[in-house]
């Protein structure tokens, strides 16, 4: 059984079936790094691995775009769509904003895909849909979707804090939600201190909202509770 795996970060782009030319983008000299072009414009392969026919087209439509023609390989379940992406983006296997919109995976960087011309364990032949179609450059909207941050859902307790005694403390919850790595504990501590000073942090809605916000940013439940408790103790001794 011929089951070649084509590394997306290999020294050359994946080969099409025997007897065809290797796909190479314009002005590209493939070297041992697998990147093409000048140091400012080098490219590397990226593959969208669809789990069903039409999956990538549906994902594009969900984001308001039309999927353009590119090198496409028929797989056991769907397609492999090959693209050239800027090496500087250092794409990996993350779906980014495609999560929940694309039925499939992204393979880039040091990831592997089964090469055209291979036979899958199911007996399916991985073959090019059009042997004359080279990989296209990845569209800007796709690159933005793959590299953009995924919007995080708002903790339910934020809405609860907007009523009653916690109404004026929603800003503190937002302050915690906007925390970046390395400042989450300090921002939670500061916000908790301000809440206790206002005399409303004992309100279950506000305390829960602060805890939920902290956990939402990446702190563990235990760590967030400890920080809030420390803030309470620091205010209580004054």
């Amino acid at each position: 059984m011929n089951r070649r795996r084509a590394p997306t970060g290999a020294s050359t782009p994946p080969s099409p079936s025997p007897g065809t030319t290797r796909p190479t983008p314009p002005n590209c000299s493939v070297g041992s790094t697998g990147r093409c072009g000048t140091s400012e414009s080098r490219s590397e392969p990226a593959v969208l691995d669809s789990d069903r026919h039409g999956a990538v087209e549906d994902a594009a439509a969900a984001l308001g775009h039309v999927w353009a023609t590119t090198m496409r390989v028929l797989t056991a379940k769907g397609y492999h769509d090959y693209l050239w992406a800027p090496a500087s983006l250092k794409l990996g296997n993350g779906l980014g904003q495609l999560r929940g919109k694309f039925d499939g995976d992204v393979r880039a960087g040091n990831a592997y895909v089964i090469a055209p011309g291979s036979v899958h364990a199911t007996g399916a032949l991985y073959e090019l849909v059009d042997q004359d179609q080279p990989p296209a450059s990845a569209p800007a909207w796709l690159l933005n979707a793959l590299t953009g941050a995924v919007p995080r859902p708002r903790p339910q307790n934020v809405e609860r804090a907007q009523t009653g005694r916690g109404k004026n403390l929603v800003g503190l919850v937002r302050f915690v939600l906007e925390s970046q790595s390395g400042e989450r504990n300090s921002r939670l501590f500061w916000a908790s201190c301000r809440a206790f000073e206002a005399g409303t942090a004992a309100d279950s809605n506000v305390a829960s909202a602060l805890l939920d916000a902290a956990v939402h940013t990446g702190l563990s439940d235990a760590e967030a509770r400890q920080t809030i408790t420390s803030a309470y103790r620091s205010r209580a001794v004054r």
Side-chain angles (χ1 to χ4, degrees):
M1 178 181 295
N2 177 17
R3 292 192 64 198
R4 297 175 294 161
R5 291 199 307 168
T8 59
S11 58
T12 56
S15 299
S17 54
T20 63
T21 58
R22 185 182 305 278
T24 306
N27 302 319
C28 174
S29 176
V30 181
S32 60
T33 63
R35 294 174 179 175
C36 310
T38 66
S39 59
E40 294 80 13
S41 61
R42 291 182 302 180
S43 299
E44 61 184 8
V47 177
L48 269 67
D49 180 4
S50 301
D51 287 340
R52 61 175 176 82
H53 294 181
V56 70
E57 287 84 358
D58 290 345
L63 294 174
H65 300 276
V66 176
W67 186 248
T69 301
T70 187
M71 175 181 166
R72 170 169 282 186
V73 176
L74 182 66
T75 68
K77 294 187 295 182
Y79 297 111
H80 283 167
D81 284 283
Y82 286 79
L83 300 164
W84 289 105
S88 59
L89 293 181
K90 298 180 179 179
L91 296 179
N93 297 333
L95 288 172
Q97 295 173 359
L98 291 184
R99 185 173 300 279
K101 299 181 178 67
F102 176 51
D103 295 332
D105 300 293
V106 175
R107 296 287 181 255
N110 293 322
Y112 284 81
V113 297
I114 298 177
S118 300
V119 178
H120 192 263
T122 61
L125 173 65
Y126 280 53
E127 56 183 339
L128 288 163
V129 173
D130 181 354
Q131 295 190 0
D132 296 324
Q133 175 64 54
S137 296
W141 67 263
L142 176 62
L143 297 176
N144 290 336
L146 293 177
T147 58
V150 179
R152 297 182 295 189
R154 197 181 190 194
Q156 294 181 352
N157 278 319
V158 173
E159 281 76 14
R160 297 176 186 174
Q162 292 183 18
T163 62
R165 293 194 298 169
K167 185 175 182 179
N168 295 326
L169 296 175
V170 176
L172 295 178
V173 176
R174 290 174 177 163
F175 179 77
V176 174
L177 283 172
E178 294 169 356
S179 302
Q180 302 298 316
S181 179
E183 62 180 20
R184 292 174 293 198
N185 260 316
S186 60
R187 289 172 75 98
L188 174 61
F189 183 84
W190 184 90
S192 299
C193 287
R194 303 294 81 76
F196 282 115
E197 288 173 351
T200 57
D203 184 289
S204 60
N205 286 344
V206 177
S208 295
L210 288 172
L211 178 64
D212 283 359
V215 171
H216 197 67
T217 64
L219 288 180
S220 67
D221 184 88
E223 189 175 13
R225 288 180 184 275
Q226 183 177 1
T227 299
I228 293 173
T229 300
S230 297
Y232 171 76
R233 290 172 178 170
S234 71
R235 297 296 98 185
V237 297
R238 294 189 178 185

